[in-house]
């Protein structure tokens, strides 16, 4: 019980005792006056001192231990001694010293402010997975699979899609065949799985003291101490080495373009402590793949102005998209984040979230269209990719219920397929149309 509630009960209990004492005093006075002929003196002699004690009158008024000879006809002729017992200690609630209680006043009434604490939710208990992919793994592997979010692949898709976008956008510039595009797309997918897991591990290491205070994250492996920080650190090193092995399968230039992203991976968890816009740092990190597709297919960004412009615009478009979907994601933890001191764009712009989401969607589609113009994309890209992105984002922003955790999670998980799928289809269709049209032109020239 709060200290404030205890003081409130003390005040109420004191007032109750005073009220009972006052009524007792008046009651016995009136009863003695009405029944003087048959009234026993002991009742008054014992009741009145008790009333004085309850009222906490001065000792001079409670000291009634004097021998009197009654002159009243209804009392016995002999003298009697009025009892003066040793005052009993007051109730602990009344005898303990109290500090002042906060009151607020109105023009008519002085009332005590009261607050009723909300009931705390029952503590969550971890239960091992009984369905899905994790249930098939050995028990000792399950915490590490949970650490890299193997059962929640939405983050992997969001990390992979910018790589796919840049690969499909760069393919017409490099005149790469579909087999080459498919090969590098699969390499990007494997790299996204590994690096997303490494990023989640680094994030949980940073947040190991914050996650236990957030409902959604308190059962994560490090937060519940299923994995020690040292083991998590060693696991991170193994993942980074695996990611390096995959990166070496790409052209050498990709290594120099990809390495700076590791700094952003490490800084994102720290950004949640110093700024209300950590989603922007996450966008810079997750969108890095929008640059890598061009050097992967042999397009030199430093010597090709159109490719550099397209890569920059595509990167900015993906940053806006990342902030958009992660703002919806952050609304799941908005109450716990406020209590734990974690900053997010959802807390900063809670009342105008839909307006911010709309602005981000406009920026994303505009920059995406600019990237298409820089590479000479055709109608399939602008209608399918840009138009599809605008339609799906508008529908999501209108329908999402930001006050519902389940609804925010549903749109976060499915948004990557709805919006990302529309953009991928537009880019893929434009690439195939341009590739086969160039093939036909090349065949015609050979025939001539």
């Amino acid at each position: 019980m709060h200290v404030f509630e205890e003081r409130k009960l003390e005040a109420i209990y004191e007032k109750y005792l005073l009220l009972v004492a006052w009524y007792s005093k008046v009651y016995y006075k009136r009863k003695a006056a009405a029944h003087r002929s048959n009234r026993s003196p002991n009742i008054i002699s014992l009741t009145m001192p008790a009333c004085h004690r309850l009222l906490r009158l001065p000792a001079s008024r409670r000291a009634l231990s004097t021998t009197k000879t009654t002159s009243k006809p209804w009392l016995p002729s002999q003298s009697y001694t009025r009892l003066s017992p040793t005052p009993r200690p007051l109730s602990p609630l009344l005898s303990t010293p109290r500090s002042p209680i906060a009151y607020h006043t109105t023009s008519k009434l002085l009332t005590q402010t009261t607050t009723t604490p909300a009931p705390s939710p029952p503590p969550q208990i971890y239960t091992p997975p009984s369905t899905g992919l994790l249930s098939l793994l050995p028990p000792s592997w399950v915490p590490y699979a949970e650490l890299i979010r193997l059962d929640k692949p939405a983050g992997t898709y969001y990390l992979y899609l910018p790589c796919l976008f840049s690969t499909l956008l760069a393919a017409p510039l490099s005149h790469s065949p579909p087999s080459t595009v498919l090969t590098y797309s699969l390499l990007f997918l494997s790299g996204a799985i590994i690096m997303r897991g490494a990023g989640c591990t680094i994030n949980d290491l940073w947040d190991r003291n914050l996650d236990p205070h957030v409902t959604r994250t308190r059962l994560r492996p490090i937060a519940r101490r299923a994995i020690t920080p040292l083991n998590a650190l060693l696991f991170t090193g193994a993942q980074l080495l695996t990611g390096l092995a995959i990166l070496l399968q790409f052209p050498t230039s990709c290594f120099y373009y990809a390495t700076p992203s590791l700094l952003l991976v490490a800084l994102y968890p720290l950004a949640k402590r110093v700024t209300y816009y950590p989603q922007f740092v996450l966008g810079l990190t997750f969108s890095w793949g929008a640059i890598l597709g061009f050097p992967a297919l042999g397009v030199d960004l430093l010597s090709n102005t159109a490719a550099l412009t397209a890569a920059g615009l595509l990167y900015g478009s993906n940053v806006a998209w990342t902030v958009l979907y992660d703002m919806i994601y952050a609304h799941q933890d908005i109450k716990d984040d406020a209590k734990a001191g974690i900053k997010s764009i959802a807390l900063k712009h809670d009342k105008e979230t839909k307006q911010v989401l709309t602005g981000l969607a406009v920026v994303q589609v505009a920059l995406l269209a600019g990237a298409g113009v820089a590479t000479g994309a055709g109608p399939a890209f602008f209608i399918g990719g840009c138009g599809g992105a605008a339609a799906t984002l508008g529908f999501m922003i209108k329908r999402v219920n930001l006050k519902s955790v389940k609804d925010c999670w549903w749109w976060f998980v499915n948004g990557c397929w709805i919006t990302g799928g529309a953009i991928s289809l537009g880019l893929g269709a434009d690439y195939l149309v341009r590739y086969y049209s160039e093939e036909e032109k090349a065949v015609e020239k050979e025939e001539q």
Side-chain angles (χ1 to χ4, degrees):
M1 183 181 295
H2 296 289
V3 176
F4 182 80
E5 294 294 330
E6 293 179 356
R7 294 175 181 170
K8 177 185 174 184
L9 290 176
E10 293 174 9
I12 294 174
Y13 184 65
E14 180 182 5
K15 292 178 181 179
Y16 171 77
L17 292 180
L18 293 176
L19 185 62
V20 170
W22 185 83
Y23 273 111
S24 300
K25 181 178 179 180
V26 173
Y27 172 78
Y28 284 116
K29 278 187 176 181
R30 292 181 179 179
K31 189 173 183 180
H35 303 281
R36 292 181 178 181
S37 59
N38 57 359
R39 181 64 175 164
S40 173
N42 292 331
I43 297 179
I44 297 178
S45 64
L46 294 176
T47 303
M48 295 309 295
C51 293
H52 287 312
R53 285 197 303 273
L54 290 174
L55 290 171
R56 297 195 292 176
L57 296 177
S60 60
R61 295 183 61 182
R62 296 199 309 268
L64 301 177
S65 179
T66 56
T67 302
K68 297 183 180 180
T69 301
T70 178
S71 60
K72 299 181 180 181
W74 63 86
L75 295 177
S77 58
Q78 70 273 17
S79 62
Y80 67 92
T81 301
R82 182 166 297 201
L83 300 178
S84 178
T86 304
R88 292 175 296 177
L90 297 176
S91 168
L93 291 176
L94 298 178
S95 60
T96 55
R98 304 190 311 273
S99 58
I101 301 176
Y103 288 86
H104 72 271
T105 58
T106 61
S107 59
K108 296 182 180 181
L109 184 63
L110 181 68
T111 59
Q112 184 177 350
T113 58
T114 60
T115 56
T116 303
S120 58
Q124 292 177 315
I125 301 176
Y126 173 77
T127 55
S130 57
T131 59
L133 177 61
L134 298 188
S135 63
L136 305 176
L137 300 176
S140 59
W141 292 16
V142 172
Y144 292 94
E146 293 174 333
L147 186 60
I148 63 174
R149 317 289 197 269
L150 192 62
D151 56 331
K152 299 174 182 177
T156 302
Y157 303 147
Y158 279 116
L159 183 61
Y160 167 67
L161 285 172
C163 303
L164 180 62
F165 295 164
S166 62
T167 303
L168 293 175
L169 191 63
L173 299 179
S174 62
H175 308 286
S176 301
S179 59
T180 303
V181 174
L182 180 60
T183 300
Y184 283 113
S185 297
L186 293 177
L187 280 175
F188 276 126
L189 178 60
S190 60
I193 295 173
I194 298 300
M195 293 309 297
R196 190 256 181 157
C200 291
T201 308
I202 294 172
N203 179 80
D204 288 4
L205 281 170
W206 275 101
D207 294 346
R208 63 185 182 276
N209 296 324
L210 295 177
D211 284 344
H213 303 287
V214 180
T215 302
R216 187 179 54 84
T217 61
R218 64 182 55 175
L219 294 181
R220 285 179 175 175
I222 299 179
R224 71 173 191 267
R225 300 182 180 179
I227 299 177
T228 63
L230 178 59
N231 289 340
L233 190 61
L234 295 175
F235 186 53
T236 302
Q239 292 178 90
L240 292 178
L241 289 176
T242 305
L244 176 62
I246 295 174
L247 181 60
L248 294 178
Q249 307 304 312
F250 289 89
T252 307
S253 58
C254 285
F255 176 82
Y256 301 107
Y257 283 106
T259 302
S261 65
L262 295 177
L263 179 63
L264 295 173
V265 173
L267 289 180
Y268 165 66
L270 180 62
K272 294 185 288 186
R273 295 161 172 80
V274 298
T275 178
Y276 279 101
Y277 301 97
Q279 283 75 22
F280 181 73
V281 181
L282 182 69
L284 297 176
T285 307
F286 265 55
S287 302
W288 203 263
I291 301 173
L292 299 180
F294 292 88
L297 295 181
V299 179
D300 186 5
L301 294 176
L302 299 180
S303 61
N304 192 327
T305 305
L308 180 62
T309 303
L313 293 173
L314 183 63
Y315 181 69
S317 175
N318 280 274
V319 171
W321 188 36
T322 304
V323 176
L324 188 154
Y325 68 69
D326 203 57
M327 188 175 186
I328 295 175
Y329 180 85
H331 269 272
Q332 298 177 103
D333 306 325
I334 192 169
K335 294 181 180 179
D336 291 333
D337 287 350
K339 295 178 182 178
I342 302 174
K343 301 179 185 297
S344 72
I345 191 174
L347 279 173
K348 186 67 173 178
H349 301 283
D350 183 22
K351 296 182 179 179
E352 59 270 5
T353 298
K354 290 291 183 81
Q355 292 87 335
V356 175
L357 293 177
T358 302
L360 290 170
V362 172
V363 172
Q364 177 192 352
V365 175
L367 293 178
L368 182 63
V373 172
T375 57
F381 167 74
F382 292 104
I383 297 175
C386 299
T392 55
L393 289 173
F395 182 75
M396 178 181 67
I397 293 171
K398 182 179 180 180
R399 294 295 301 273
V400 63
N401 180 10
L402 298 172
K403 303 300 180 183
S404 171
V405 174
K406 292 183 179 180
D407 204 49
C408 290
W409 174 251
W410 191 93
W411 282 105
F412 171 78
V413 171
N414 295 280
C416 60
W417 292 115
I418 297 174
T419 302
I423 298 174
S424 299
L425 289 175
L427 285 167
D430 180 70
Y431 160 66
L432 293 176
V433 169
R434 295 168 67 180
Y435 176 79
Y436 286 110
S437 63
E438 291 178 358
E439 287 289 320
E440 292 179 358
K441 292 180 180 178
V443 171
E444 291 178 358
K445 287 182 180 179
E446 290 178 359
E447 293 178 352
Q448 293 178 356

